[in-house]
Amino acid sequence: VDALTMALRTELESKRHVVIACGYRAHAVGREVERLAELLHCPILTSFDGKGTVDEAHPLAYGVVGVYGNAGTPSAVDLLQDCDTIIGICLNDMTELLTNKS
């Protein structure tokens, strides 16, 4: 986590918008994802099958992206449209919405 934080320092110092997105394989590292988001002060999105990876009541959890072929929850869509950098954690190749910033 600390090494990734250092690598993103330039992004953060330039006030670019960073989003963390995680899939179902990240269940084992949910607390670490929350910690990274807290260090970076950035929102967390999950894929539909990644729901529950982080505490959905966490103040940085903003919902699901890619729900049934749609872009996702309104807050997730807004975040993706405004972000400059996406940190993908345990996402599968089907998560095209993140790479296309739908």
Side-chain angles (χ1 to χ4, degrees), residues 21 45-48 63-67 70-73 76-77 80 95 97-98:
L45 301 176
T46 64
S47 61
F48 184 73
V64 177
V65 65
V67 181
N70 299 311
T73 60
V77 172
L80 286 177
T95 313
L97 291 170
L98 294 175

Side-chain angles (χ1 to χ4, degrees), residues 11-89:
E11 294 290 317
L12 298 171
E13 289 174 352
S14 66
K15 305 294 184 202
R16 296 172 65 102
H17 299 283
V18 178
V19 173
I20 296 174
C22 53
Y24 79 96
R25 294 180 190 105
H27 278 288
V29 294
R31 180 62 198 123
E32 287 80 4
V33 170
E34 290 175 1
R35 181 171 170 243
L36 178 62
E38 291 162 1
L39 287 170
L40 299 175
H41 304 288
C42 68
I44 306 166
L45 301 176
T46 64
S47 61
F48 184 73
D49 58 3
K51 282 180 64 70
T53 298
V54 298
D55 180 358
E56 294 182 27
H58 191 284
L60 293 172
Y62 280 81
V64 177
V65 65
V67 181
Y68 301 117
N70 299 311
T73 60
S75 59
V77 172
D78 290 344
L79 287 169
L80 286 177
Q81 288 176 345
D82 294 335
C83 77
D84 298 302
T85 303
I86 299 170
I87 301 170
I89 302 172

